[in-house]
Amino acid sequence: MNFSKIKNNFQDLKNEEIDVKQGLLSKEDALNLFSIAHWKDYLKLFSIASEVRDYFKKEIEITSTIHITNICKIRPKCLYCGFAAGTSKEGYYTPFRISDEGIKNSAIAIEESGICRVSCSSGHGYEGREVLRALKIVKENTNLEVLVNAGADLTEESIKEMKKYGIDTICCNLETTNKVLFKKIKPGEELEDRIKVCKLVKKYNIELSSGLLIGVGESYEDRVNHLLYLKELDVDEIPIMGFNPYKGTPMENHPRCSSLEQAKTIAIVRLMFPNIRVTSPTPTIGAELMQFALMGGASNIATVIPDNHPMNIKGVGNPKTGNLKDVIKMIKELGLTPKIKK
């Protein structure tokens, strides 16, 4: 694999000869990078992707989590889901809805740990009211940046309300833009509903996070087409979530996506979107393997739980979440700087 073209494009970007939104790769370049299979090429890819990340991002962000409710009204359930009530005994099998006081206590604990950003997520069936409730409480009691994630459950009215209450980011993961595959693994949802939410988020000039679920049967061309579509949406953050099976779900025997494959995808995303937030949630890559994501150019580590967090948080993708102390240690071991409030 010849990386000189990418390096030349990066130099042109630094010289302001090409626009950052153009990125450093063509569709053909991205497909060629997905086909690499030799350690020398992996090292070159990770090197240039990390260099690009470091040029735009001086610190590695850390995002914690508050799960509001696992009571989800989607029917039939997503085939891989271990989050919703009754789906997996590894996950949140028993239905719950966290109280206002529980949200407040969790948010205060997260802020006291030094983390600056929190994700508030819920199941579907509330037209965004549950994550809006969480947003209000977190903003009233802390200075945390807030991302909410309720997928296609949001309405235009709830998005407008979130704008009013100072929302920082709204996440609506498309997961795959292959319509046949989407319907296969998410039989109770429609891809167009999620796309509609993404467009509404941008309509109201709110930061949009929208990610890929990889290793579920998509092709490399599917991934590249998905990323090109996210360019059209002018996305601000891309989470890369490798499939990690939950026991008891219909996809429990589907192979886990390797950490190397996730890191390769993260690196390609970084080269296509040089200056945006590229996120790796700890449960989808393996909390002990986050350095793969960082070497690939990730700039945000998500689902990070401080010791003082009052909730028993389980991950989406795998029950094991990242401990804040461990994540900070892994970031520093690579000579990077974690974004932590002193």
Side-chain angles (χ1 to χ4, degrees):
M1 183 75 196
N2 186 349
F3 287 86
S4 59
K5 178 183 174 183
I6 301 171
K7 291 179 179 178
N8 289 337
N9 286 344
F10 183 37
Q11 187 59 53
D12 288 344
L13 175 61
K14 290 190 284 187
N15 293 338
E16 299 183 350
E17 293 173 12
I18 62 174
D19 188 271
V20 68
K21 289 188 181 295
Q22 179 183 329
L24 307 178
L25 303 178
S26 66
K27 180 177 181 178
E28 183 182 4
D29 293 332
L31 286 170
N32 287 337
L33 286 173
F34 269 120
S35 70
I36 65 171
H38 194 280
W39 65 266
K40 289 182 180 179
D41 286 332
Y42 277 107
L43 291 180
K44 290 175 184 176
L45 173 61
F46 293 164
S47 176
I48 184 65
S50 291
E51 188 179 344
V52 173
R53 185 265 321 282
D54 292 350
Y55 181 77
F56 289 101
K57 307 288 184 182
K58 305 308 179 188
E59 296 178 308
I60 303 298
E61 291 184 274
I62 297 173
T63 301
S64 193
T65 296
I66 304 173
H67 289 151
I68 312 306
T69 179
N70 71 333
I71 302 168
C72 184
K73 299 178 184 178
I74 288 177
R75 297 290 185 279
K77 292 272 196 297
C78 302
L79 269 59
Y80 54 83
C81 182
F83 175 84
T87 56
S88 171
K89 291 186 178 178
E90 280 189 317
Y92 293 120
Y93 195 77
T94 304
F96 74 86
R97 178 182 182 270
I98 187 173
S99 67
D100 289 4
E101 189 69 15
I103 294 170
K104 176 182 174 181
N105 291 340
S106 295
I108 290 172
I110 289 166
E111 185 172 49
E112 287 177 347
S113 76
I115 294 175
C116 302
R117 188 174 189 248
V118 64
S119 167
C120 299
S121 57
S122 78
H124 285 220
Y126 309 95
E127 297 185 333
R129 290 187 297 274
E130 285 297 283
V131 286
L132 177 59
R133 175 172 70 97
L135 169 66
K136 292 178 182 178
I137 294 167
V138 175
K139 286 294 186 180
E140 286 168 0
N141 292 281
T142 73
N143 291 311
L144 291 170
E145 293 179 43
V146 179
L147 172 147
V148 300
N149 184 359
D153 194 49
L154 303 182
T155 64
E156 185 163 7
E157 284 306 309
S158 64
I159 291 170
K160 287 164 67 176
E161 278 290 292
M162 288 178 196
K163 175 88 171 178
K164 175 180 166 185
Y165 284 96
I167 185 67
D168 296 285
T169 312
I170 294 176
C171 181
C172 185
N173 294 316
L174 302 183
E175 298 180 9
T176 178
T177 53
N178 179 322
K179 293 181 180 180
V180 174
L181 180 59
F182 183 98
K183 199 62 183 174
K184 179 181 177 182
I185 64 175
K186 299 175 74 66
E189 289 200 68
E190 300 295 333
L191 177 60
E192 286 303 318
D193 291 339
R194 287 186 169 246
I195 290 173
K196 179 182 177 182
V197 168
C198 288
K199 290 180 176 178
L200 283 170
V201 172
K202 295 302 295 188
K203 175 183 175 180
Y204 288 99
N205 198 31
I206 299 168
E207 190 174 84
L208 171 64
S209 173
S210 187
L212 284 69
L213 178 60
I214 65 171
V216 290
E218 80 288 353
S219 67
Y220 284 145
E221 188 163 12
D222 287 335
R223 288 188 205 171
V224 175
N225 286 339
H226 188 161
L227 291 168
L228 291 172
Y229 186 69
L230 293 180
K231 272 192 181 291
E232 291 179 28
L233 288 176
D234 194 23
V235 71
D236 303 284
E237 173 179 3
I238 301 179
I240 298 300
M241 303 162 288
F243 176 76
N244 210 340
Y246 258 105
K247 290 179 182 177
T249 65
M251 291 182 71
E252 68 174 340
N253 294 318
H254 188 89
R256 176 184 180 274
C257 181
S258 76
S259 301
L260 185 61
E261 186 67 26
Q262 291 179 68
K264 176 169 67 174
T265 305
I266 287 168
I268 292 167
V269 171
R270 173 57 65 199
L271 297 178
M272 291 181 72
F273 300 81
N275 67 333
I276 74 167
R277 180 187 293 115
V278 180
T279 295
S280 181
T282 60
T284 67
I285 198 167
E288 73 284 1
L289 297 171
M290 286 311 306
Q291 286 169 325
F292 277 86
L294 291 168
M295 287 189 287
S299 59
N300 178 42
I301 305 302
T303 326
V304 178
I305 311 302
D307 289 336
N308 63 334
H309 199 307
M311 289 182 70
N312 178 25
I313 296 290
K314 296 178 183 289
V316 177
N318 185 285
K320 190 175 180 183
T321 57
N323 174 269
L324 176 59
K325 291 177 183 175
D326 293 340
V327 168
I328 289 175
K329 181 174 181 286
M330 286 189 283
I331 292 171
K332 289 182 174 179
E333 281 178 347
L334 291 176
L336 299 169
T337 304
K339 184 178 179 180
I340 287 288
K341 192 174 181 181
K342 305 297 183 184

